[in-house]
Amino acid sequence: MLIASGLLAVLIGLVFGTLFWAITDMLQATDARKHVRTALSEANRLETLVLDLETGARGFLITRDQRFLQPWESARAALPGQAQRVVSLSDTPELRGLAREIGRDGNSYVRDYSDPLIGAAKRGDPSAWSVETTAEGKRRVDDFRARFDRFDDVARSVLAAREQATETRVRWSIVAATGGLAGSVLLIAAYTGYLTRAIVRPVRRAAAVAARLADGDLAARMPETGAGEIGELGVAFNSMGNSLTDSRRLTQEAHRRLKLLYDTSKAVGTTLDVERTAEELVRAAVPSFADFVTVDLPVSVMRGDGRPPGEEDTLCRAAMGGIGGTAAFRPVGTLIDWEPATPQARSFRRGVGMIEPDLRSSVAWRSRDRLGTARILDHGFRSLITTPLRAQGTRMGVVSLWRLGEFDEEDLSCATELVAKAGVAIDNARRYTHERNTALALQCSLLPKRLPPQPAVEIASRYQPAGAGAGVGGDWFDVIPLSGCRVGLVVGDVVGHGIHASATMGRLRTAVRTLADVDLPPDELLTHLDDLVLHLSSDDQPGMAQGEAPTAGELGATCLYAVYDPVSRCCTMATAGHPLPVLVPPDGPPELVSGPVGPPLGIGGLPFETTELLLTAGSVLALFTDGLIESRDHDIDHGLTELRHALAFPTASLEDTCDHVTDAMLDGRATDDTALLLVRTGALSPGQFATWDLPDDPALVSHARKLALDQLAVWKLDEMQFVTELVVSELVTNAIRYGTPPIQLRLIRSHTLICEVSDGSSTAPHLRRARVFDEGGRGLLLVAQLTQGWGTRQTTSGKTIWCEQTLPPTTAAHEEFPEAA
């Protein structure tokens, strides 16, 4: 055995020495051939660069398009380096010489021909397009191609010679190695027989199993029939494979559950809508965890009630979905009354998850509904997990997860974590829904329930709160009846959303109504409102020192106030940072009112200017908030254009116009609160009012009374003569005695009889109770007691004292209201 081993070692040494020499020679030959092929490839790239230079230059000369210079410039920059690369890869003197000639010609082509040609073309030199220049370029390119062809031929001949030499050496090496191998075959066969059976095969098998285990094939195993250490090795490998299989299964299961929880945390709670969040939970759990999911929530949670739900609350099917149809389950919106013994009822009552691994043998689950449970089993569902929805100790429903296969205890733990993440999102949606409902209820209570009919104008309005994602804002509008058949029109906006914005809106609306009752002009009203907002801002800023100026524009409010007079048909308006209205004349296209826009409320220190419009009867003023014209998709200018187009659409009534405008501008989706107020103006006919200028003479008070009585006779209001005569006498006497010229008396017959006396003094009278021996002080008291109402308003030239009387029922029933032209 030792001699055979020594002889075998000598023979094997000779064989392997010969094979090593042959293999080394083959590797060197292979490297040489690869080197030549690489040189050919790089030469082809160099030729391509030359062609890019030529075609780029010719394309630029023909079209003068700068785009053709891009490949030219790229080839020009890459050509020197590519030529040097070809030289370095050429490993024979002849190839290296040809490569250097190609590199020198390429550099010469760029330096002496291509660069001057492009420069001349850029300068507009006619020589760039001459026949000589073109012929020179063609000659140079032909020379290039000839050298490239020569290089290719030489390289291929070198490659063929090397392959022939390699083949000859390999043939002689194989012959020499075959003789040695033939002599050692018999010895190898005898010697290796034992080694193969006893050692080699078991070791190879063990190596193969180890490799398969390392590659992730954990099913690989070894037979444990070997003797001695080989058998122990098989046992150890098989034990390691079983351990790795268990670890991999547990790792994959943990990774799957972690990914499920991560995906659920991303997919659930994208909105603050309770039902939408429940639907997201269903989509997150099916089919990655369960085959069907139902979500049942208390009605109070879905409504967004403030109180936490209790055990006695009725549940409602909020969402469901899964594989196959839903016919076996109660539809969404159905009220659910679980039997106390069912897993759903116990989970909701106890606050713990429960598992039914085999529904076919579950008596408690079948107690709910025999027919319904039979339909569920017919659909193939075999197991159930029920887990409560909880957040911060509040029970908000129960989730049922159904599977065609079986659930286990680990699935119950995963389901509990999955539903816990969704519970937080649903609780957030519940709280937000409650806050939004509260803010919306507050805002709706602060907005006018209905706009009372006005004799001077026709009113139509719309208010649409923002979608659930934005919350309720602070937009508002109002229509305020004023003295003299005038009407005040208000639209405003408080920046922000929620209860704070709604409350601030209510305070501002109340302030505007209070200031309007004083009959202030629009600019003065906004000035007083601006001061009020400054006080509100300072009161709302905690920690502000006394006397410290509040932050400018803290409330972020805007307001537009307009007053329309149907007698003069004049509309006076002022705005504090709010968009001006759109005017729709009765015989023309809609147009945006132009005028000065003051700063938003709360800035302070800046004046507000008025804009006056003389309106034709039948004109429509569209007052709105920025939510109607502004969105993420377009700017305000585009929104105003769309609003004018919508207002130009013919409709049967002002209400229809409101519907058309909101449908066209909002398309059912409002990202911000939207308020729209449409006002069609009317005008009093000349027969409904009378005006007289009176001299400053107390002796002519009787003449004023006669004028008023004559006008009442024309209007057939004889039964109102006594009170009207007394009122006219008192008001005109006060104007002559305490006022300054000019003095004017006006009677207006609308839904009431209005008496107005104007003078040039700005001093307003005050109602007081006269004592027994006082000579004056009883006139205004008589006016206040005999009329429906009275008041004073300031004008640009003085003041006006007015009072109203209710018309007799027979006259009021046939009253002639102003009509729009």
Side-chain angles (χ1 to χ4, degrees), residues 549-563:
T551 304
E554 180 70 22
L555 291 180
T558 63
C559 181
L560 183 144
Y561 180 67
V563 176

Side-chain angles (χ1 to χ4, degrees), residues 76-404:
R76 179 178 177 274
L79 190 140
Q82 186 64 28
Q84 185 61 35
R85 193 175 296 111
V86 174
V87 171
S88 63
L89 291 173
S90 301
D91 57 353
T92 65
E94 186 177 4
L95 286 176
R96 190 176 294 108
L98 289 173
R100 288 173 178 171
E101 291 178 4
I102 291 173
R104 286 194 299 271
D105 290 347
N107 293 331
S108 174
Y109 177 83
V110 173
R111 182 182 62 256
D112 301 335
Y113 177 77
S114 187
D115 282 351
L117 178 63
I118 296 302
K122 288 183 177 180
R123 294 191 306 271
D125 191 345
S127 62
W129 291 271
S130 64
V131 176
E132 292 81 6
T133 303
T134 303
E136 176 63 17
K138 184 176 183 305
R139 182 189 65 77
R140 287 175 176 268
V141 171
D142 291 340
D143 292 343
F144 264 118
R145 289 177 176 172
R147 284 190 173 84
F148 278 122
D149 292 341
R150 174 62 179 164
F151 183 91
D152 185 82
D153 293 338
V154 173
R156 293 186 184 280
S157 63
V158 171
L159 179 61
R162 288 179 177 177
E163 290 179 346
Q164 181 64 32
T166 301
E167 184 179 355
T168 301
R169 287 194 295 269
V170 168
R171 186 180 298 112
W172 282 107
S173 300
I174 291 174
V175 171
T178 301
L181 290 175
S184 60
V185 168
L186 294 176
L187 290 175
I188 292 175
Y191 185 72
T192 58
Y194 171 77
L195 296 178
T196 301
R197 288 193 304 271
I199 299 175
V200 176
R201 289 179 181 176
V203 171
R204 286 179 178 175
R205 191 179 297 115
V209 171
R212 291 172 61 187
L213 290 175
D215 291 339
D217 184 7
L218 303 184
R221 294 294 184 272
M222 280 186 65
E224 301 177 2
T225 58
E229 290 81 358
I230 298 299
E232 295 176 358
L233 180 63
V235 173
F237 268 106
N238 292 340
S239 176
M240 181 177 64
N242 293 331
S243 176
L244 290 175
T245 300
D246 293 340
S247 299
R248 181 177 184 179
R249 179 182 58 80
L250 295 175
T251 302
Q252 290 177 345
E253 182 67 20
H255 181 269
R256 183 183 67 83
R257 292 181 177 176
L258 288 175
K259 185 177 186 302
L260 174 63
L261 295 176
Y262 173 74
D263 293 342
T264 301
S265 63
K266 289 177 55 180
V268 179
T270 59
T271 68
L272 291 173
D273 182 80
V274 174
E275 296 184 15
R276 179 73 176 274
T277 304
E279 293 172 358
E280 291 173 345
L281 171 59
V282 171
R283 289 195 295 268
V286 177
S288 56
F289 183 78
D291 298 316
F292 202 92
V293 176
T294 61
V295 181
D296 302 322
L297 304 177
V299 177
S300 59
V301 172
M302 299 184 67
R303 289 198 306 254
D305 292 350
R307 68 173 182 85
E311 295 182 7
E312 70 283 355
D313 283 18
T314 302
L315 298 181
C316 178
R317 180 63 45 85
M320 68 176 184
I323 300 174
T326 61
F329 298 89
R330 299 182 186 181
V332 174
T334 304
L335 296 180
I336 307 295
D337 186 15
W338 298 106
E339 294 292 333
T342 59
Q344 289 87 348
R346 287 182 291 164
S347 292
F348 182 66
R349 185 173 61 254
R350 300 178 184 177
V352 296
M354 307 192 73
I355 183 172
E356 292 289 344
D358 188 1
L359 295 177
R360 293 168 294 185
S361 60
S362 174
V363 178
W365 173 70
R366 285 176 175 268
S367 66
R368 178 180 72 91
D369 180 5
R370 293 285 180 179
L371 296 178
T373 54
R375 288 196 301 268
I376 293 176
L377 292 176
D378 292 341
H379 277 72
F381 295 105
R382 292 294 178 265
S383 57
L384 165 68
I385 287 179
T386 60
T387 180
L389 273 166
R390 299 176 61 90
Q392 300 180 1
T394 302
R395 287 172 293 188
M396 291 177 298
V398 62
V399 179
S400 302
L401 302 104
W402 312 78
R403 185 179 283 183
L404 299 174

Side-chain angles (χ1 to χ4, degrees), residues 351-511:
V352 296
M354 307 192 73
I355 183 172
E356 292 289 344
D358 188 1
L359 295 177
R360 293 168 294 185
S361 60
S362 174
V363 178
W365 173 70
R366 285 176 175 268
S367 66
R368 178 180 72 91
D369 180 5
R370 293 285 180 179
L371 296 178
T373 54
R375 288 196 301 268
I376 293 176
L377 292 176
D378 292 341
H379 277 72
F381 295 105
R382 292 294 178 265
S383 57
L384 165 68
I385 287 179
T386 60
T387 180
L389 273 166
R390 299 176 61 90
Q392 300 180 1
T394 302
R395 287 172 293 188
M396 291 177 298
V398 62
V399 179
S400 302
L401 302 104
W402 312 78
R403 185 179 283 183
L404 299 174
E406 292 186 1
F407 284 114
D408 54 26
E409 292 297 332
E410 294 183 357
D411 291 327
L412 177 60
S413 175
C414 181
T416 302
E417 295 183 20
L418 176 71
V419 176
K421 290 182 177 293
V424 175
I426 290 181
D427 184 54
N428 291 336
R430 177 186 69 88
R431 294 173 182 273
Y432 171 78
T433 302
H434 172 66
E435 293 181 3
R436 185 175 187 275
N437 292 341
T438 303
L440 186 59
L442 173 63
Q443 188 171 37
C444 291
S445 67
L446 296 175
L447 289 173
K449 301 297 184 297
R450 63 179 183 86
L451 298 176
Q454 302 292 330
V457 292
E458 179 187 355
I459 301 293
S461 63
R462 293 291 183 274
Y463 172 77
Q464 184 168 340
V472 179
D475 294 19
W476 91 93
F477 62 90
D478 207 349
V479 177
I480 307 172
L482 303 176
S483 62
C485 290
R486 298 173 307 131
V487 62
L489 308 173
V490 189
V491 63
D493 184 8
V494 176
V495 176
H497 297 87
I499 296 179
H500 179 72
S502 299
T504 303
M505 177 271 289
R507 299 162 80 177
L508 294 183
R509 178 173 178 260
T510 303

